[in-house]
Amino acid sequence: MNFALILFILVVVSGIAWIADRYYFAPQRRKVGIDRMPLWLEYTAGFFPVICAVFVLRSFIVEPFKIPSGSMIPTLQIGDFILVNKFTYGIRLPVINQKVVDLGSPQRGDVVVFRYPRDESIDYIKRVVALPGDTITYQDKRLTVNSQPLQYSGGEHYLDPENMRYAKRFAESFPAGLGGNQHEILNDPDRPAGMFPAERFPGFENCQYINAGLTCTVPAGHYFAMGDNRDNSADSRYWGFVPDKNIVGRAFFVWLNLGNLGRIGGFE
């Protein structure tokens, strides 16, 4: 279901009714001394200001999402309700998601929501780990970007609640020259490091797959995104690069988790 399209249609229909009432029906009612709107106008024109406000807020400022899977554990948990900033990377037209005002672009380490390249009706959330033109290597469960290895610390055991398996929790840090972002990831030492995509994807020729990982050069206008739960995430390693045109916004705040109210707050 394309909620943005449904909301847009409601705005158009209620807006037409609101204009019609303001400039035609309301003056006619005043002439005959009737104050109350007919029922059909109450449920169309009467709701226009609210529907319009929701449409503008959701399309250009912030949009709520719910985390459906454990691919971003430990940063985000299943059941987290999050807010996504819609203008950090520019202003886009609703429904078609076409950028009309460029205000910035995703940076390494940003958690972004985007339309899944293989089915744009589905929204995905992952962490950007490489930008257009970057060369990324994922080898033995460690990242290197532009020949600069990321730093890892920690390694304590962590129970992955989705799989009920113990993994190791690390702090992963980009070097200062790559933005310096630090965040947490999970790695399962019992899961193999190698991977191979189920099918070829646009830009597949930019990647080399080996037994223990891969090396890819990110095409112009695209990003390489990975889940923080590295052994339980379907991401760019398997289905390819994220086009800039698919970016929805930057996730930045957990506003509710019904199972754990302590989850509320910002995250990196």
Side-chain angles (χ1 to χ4, degrees):
M1 180 182 296
N2 191 330
F3 184 73
L5 178 59
I6 293 172
L7 194 58
F8 176 72
I9 292 171
L10 290 175
V11 168
V12 171
V13 172
S14 62
I16 291 172
W18 183 84
I19 292 172
D21 181 65
R22 181 179 179 85
Y23 294 102
Y24 178 75
F25 292 114
Q28 293 298 318
R29 290 197 303 273
R30 286 194 292 269
K31 287 181 181 179
V32 296
I34 298 175
D35 295 325
R36 184 179 177 85
M37 283 183 178
L39 195 61
W40 71 271
L41 274 176
E42 285 187 8
Y43 283 95
T44 52
F47 283 103
F48 172 67
V50 175
I51 296 173
C52 186
V54 171
F55 178 74
V56 171
L57 179 69
R58 187 183 184 277
S59 299
F60 302 109
I61 302 175
V62 293
E63 183 174 357
F65 288 88
K66 182 181 179 182
I67 302 300
S69 74
S71 70
M72 285 298 292
I73 293 172
T75 305
L76 295 170
Q77 304 287 335
I78 298 172
D80 281 348
F81 290 85
I82 64 169
L83 293 178
V84 173
N85 186 314
K86 299 295 293 285
F87 59 85
T88 297
Y89 306 136
I91 298 175
R92 296 175 183 266
L93 294 177
V95 182
I96 62 174
N97 207 42
Q98 175 65 46
K99 186 185 288 188
V100 291
V101 178
D102 189 359
L103 299 177
S105 58
Q107 301 301 305
R108 301 179 192 91
D110 286 359
V111 177
V112 300
V113 170
F114 55 89
R115 294 177 177 177
Y116 179 40
R118 289 186 176 177
D119 183 354
E120 294 190 0
S121 67
I122 301 173
D123 292 315
Y124 266 34
I125 182 167
K126 304 293 179 187
R127 188 179 298 277
V128 170
V129 295
L131 307 181
D134 284 350
T135 296
I136 181 172
T137 297
Y138 187 67
Q139 178 76 26
D140 296 321
K141 300 191 178 183
R142 295 292 186 267
L143 277 171
T144 299
V145 179
N146 297 337
S147 301
Q148 299 185 57
L150 275 63
Q151 302 301 310
Y152 295 85
S153 59
E156 65 273 14
H157 288 290
Y158 181 93
L159 180 62
D160 183 341
E162 184 175 37
N163 295 322
M164 295 306 294
R165 293 170 58 99
Y166 278 99
K168 289 192 174 182
R169 182 174 185 165
F170 294 93
E172 181 180 73
S173 304
F174 284 89
L178 297 176
N181 178 282
Q182 179 175 300
H183 49 271
E184 293 187 326
I185 65 164
L186 290 188
N187 267 325
D188 185 343
D190 296 327
R191 302 278 288 273
M195 72 287 294
F196 199 80
E199 59 187 70
R200 294 175 69 90
F201 50 79
F204 181 83
E205 65 280 0
N206 288 26
C207 295
Q208 295 179 332
Y209 286 83
I210 55 179
N211 288 336
L214 61 87
T215 296
C216 291
T217 298
V218 185
H222 292 73
Y223 302 90
F224 197 96
M226 297 175 66
D228 289 347
N229 195 348
R230 294 290 162 79
D231 297 301
N232 189 29
S233 173
D235 49 41
S236 289
R237 295 171 291 177
Y238 301 95
W239 43 253
F241 307 102
V242 180
D244 182 75
K245 66 182 181 64
N246 286 38
I247 299 293
V248 173
R250 181 177 184 270
F252 70 99
F253 193 82
V254 177
W255 62 273
L256 181 65
N257 185 309
L258 294 173
N260 183 1
L261 296 180
R263 294 281 307 152
I264 297 173
F267 59 87
E268 293 294 333

